[in-house]
Amino acid sequence: MLARLKQMKQHFDSLGEQLSDPAVIADQAKWRELIKEHSQLEGIIAAYDEYTETEAGIEDCKAMLSDHNIDRDMKELVEEELKELSERADKQLENLKILLLPRDKNDDRNVIIEIRAGTGGDEAALFGAVLMRMYQRYAERHNFKCELIDLNETEMGGVKEAVFSLNGRGAYSRMKFESGVHRVQRVPETETQGRIHTSAATVAVLPEAEDVDVEINMNDLRIDTYRSSGAGGQHVNKTESAIRITHLPTGLVVQSQDERSQGRNKEQAMKVLKSRLYEMYRSEAAAKEASARKSQVGSGDRSERIRTYNFPQGRVTDHRIGMTLYKLPQFIDGDMDEIIEGLILAERTRQLAGEE
């Protein structure tokens, strides 16, 4: 592992030299490719540099202890420092093992998030609105740009269905474990007996497809225009700017009505269609690789109940890792990192254990 890291360090330094070469700078396509690779290696090289610095400190301590003229007080100080440095080196090595694990090639991509109200009627739709705001607040905390693509609201302010994108480096790596069924337990405002109702919403997280991932034959598409619907406004129902695209071979239907421009709505709908097709092809390929995905922290199965939000007790529980937090108000306000980090760690631990 250390030999591999040394080679990576040499390659990283070489990339740095190339990036300052005027000939490379002039070739913008090559420069962008190199800067991307350089930035991907930056984190692991920084961790490796910290480790080598710790190892150098360990060698210095050993050299001092081998000096027969060292006095007792100094020897005790050096032995204590050696112990601390050795413990630090062990932790740094474990971290390096994690950083060297195979990365999901989609981790740096933008994501498309789809929320659909499930069982529970109006209460499920109101919970769908809570989830949508939760992800929007989380996006703000991580400087992801949120773009609404399609929204179907209820008169009570609930969300029957919402489709939106989160754009920013690493968005998929943070959001990919959110796919599945989210269950809520709370007392609806219309409940006079104070009884707790249970309802659910389904979340799907798709890595945004790039043009090289999916080729779409335009002859396979049926594109319809219609008047957007929604809550009031000067523009609503005046022009047929909303777009519905049907992919005939698969029957997939996507739509976008949030933008005023028909062209912009078509662009957004195509982005969602490509991402859905990409995820469909990706899931089919994964299914053919035996039962590998079943052992993962989150299989991405939209029928899998992954989390419960209990309002009376103020708690949120992630069932995949058995983590419960008694800070539900903060969590639904976008403070989700504790559980997301726990899911990432569990997945890395599984990979380190070499599970299939």
Side-chain angles (χ1 to χ4, degrees):
M1 183 181 80
L2 293 175
R4 181 182 168 197
L5 283 163
K6 188 175 181 180
Q7 289 179 340
M8 290 174 72
K9 167 73 171 172
Q10 291 170 346
H11 180 59
F12 180 78
D13 292 341
S14 172
L15 286 172
E17 292 174 6
Q18 291 180 64
L19 287 168
S20 60
D21 184 337
V24 174
I25 295 171
D27 185 345
Q28 280 296 294
K30 185 176 181 180
W31 187 85
R32 282 193 295 269
E33 185 180 324
L34 293 178
I35 199 76
K36 182 180 179 181
E37 186 179 0
H38 188 270
S39 63
Q40 287 173 343
L41 287 172
E42 211 161 12
I44 194 166
I45 298 305
Y48 176 61
D49 286 344
E50 288 177 3
Y51 171 75
T52 54
E53 186 178 328
T54 303
E55 279 294 300
I58 289 173
E59 292 305 313
D60 288 344
C61 288
K62 288 179 178 178
M64 291 176 70
L65 290 172
S66 66
D67 184 350
H68 299 297
N69 296 320
I70 189 171
D71 62 50
R72 182 183 297 176
D73 289 343
M74 178 60 74
K75 184 178 180 182
E76 287 180 1
L77 286 172
V78 174
E79 285 175 341
E80 184 62 30
E81 184 176 358
L82 178 59
K83 182 183 176 184
E84 290 178 6
L85 287 172
S86 297
E87 289 174 355
R88 186 188 306 169
D90 288 341
K91 290 179 182 177
Q92 289 171 335
L93 263 181
E94 286 302 309
N95 183 47
L96 283 167
K97 285 180 185 177
I98 290 172
L99 290 172
L100 281 172
L101 289 172
R103 294 180 75 250
D104 186 330
K105 69 175 184 178
N106 295 309
D107 273 355
D108 286 337
R109 296 194 182 200
N110 300 330
V111 295
I112 306 287
I113 298 180
E114 303 177 351
I115 299 173
R116 291 181 179 81
T119 54
D122 286 337
E123 183 62 16
L126 288 169
F127 178 51
V130 169
L131 290 177
M132 181 174 169
R133 181 183 178 277
M134 179 179 81
Y135 292 133
Q136 289 172 333
R137 295 286 291 125
Y138 185 77
E140 289 172 12
R141 290 169 183 260
H142 286 267
N143 295 316
F144 297 148
K145 182 183 178 184
C146 182
E147 289 187 350
L148 187 62
I149 296 172
D150 191 33
L151 181 63
N152 183 357
E153 296 178 287
T154 66
E155 291 182 0
M156 296 175 64
V159 169
K160 289 182 180 178
E161 182 177 358
V163 182
F164 53 96
S165 64
L166 298 185
N167 305 322
R169 185 179 173 190
Y172 185 72
S173 70
R174 308 296 302 177
M175 303 306 300
K176 62 183 176 182
F177 298 113
E178 293 301 300
S179 287
V181 176
H182 295 242
R183 184 178 69 167
V184 63
Q185 296 171 325
R186 64 179 175 180
V187 180
E189 292 180 12
T190 54
E191 172 57 60
T192 56
Q193 304 295 320
R195 291 173 298 189
I196 297 173
H197 287 225
T198 299
S199 54
T202 302
V203 174
V205 179
L206 315 174
E208 185 178 301
E210 298 174 359
D211 289 338
V212 294
D213 296 323
V214 180
E215 285 188 19
I216 295 179
N217 186 336
M218 297 305 290
N219 293 327
D220 289 339
L221 303 180
R222 186 177 73 236
I223 301 177
D224 302 307
T225 59
Y226 62 100
R227 293 182 182 180
S228 59
S229 59
Q234 295 298 312
H235 184 70
V236 174
N237 295 329
K238 294 275 183 87
T239 62
E240 293 196 344
S241 61
I243 292 288
R244 181 183 296 109
I245 300 177
T246 304
H247 185 246
L248 300 174
T250 60
L252 284 175
V253 178
V254 297
Q255 57 190 40
S256 177
Q257 61 171 327
D258 192 60
E259 301 287 342
R260 292 171 179 263
S261 156
Q262 188 180 102
R264 178 63 176 153
N265 276 324
K266 182 179 178 181
E267 180 183 322
Q268 293 281 61
M270 284 296 290
K271 183 165 72 172
V272 175
L273 177 60
K274 286 180 180 178
S275 297
R276 285 191 188 170
L277 285 170
Y278 175 62
E279 178 65 13
M280 186 178 77
Y281 299 148
R282 200 169 69 106
S283 297
E284 288 174 356
K288 291 176 183 176
E289 294 174 0
S291 58
R293 292 184 66 82
K294 290 182 182 177
S295 67
Q296 294 183 10
V297 171
S299 65
D301 185 349
R302 300 181 196 183
S303 65
E304 177 190 8
R305 190 191 72 186
I306 63 167
R307 196 175 295 146
T308 295
Y309 305 72
N310 186 300
F311 278 73
Q313 296 179 17
R315 65 173 169 84
V316 55
T317 298
D318 196 286
H319 303 292
R320 295 161 295 180
I321 53 176
M323 181 182 287
T324 296
L325 303 177
Y326 286 88
K327 47 185 257 184
L328 181 59
Q330 297 95 317
F331 191 86
I332 61 175
D333 193 44
D335 185 8
M336 303 167 60
D337 276 329
E338 196 168 344
I339 280 182
I340 287 178
E341 292 290 349
L343 289 161
I344 292 171
L345 178 60
E347 178 66 6
R348 286 173 174 170
T349 302
R350 182 199 66 79
Q351 285 181 290
L352 279 172
E355 292 178 16
E356 294 300 328

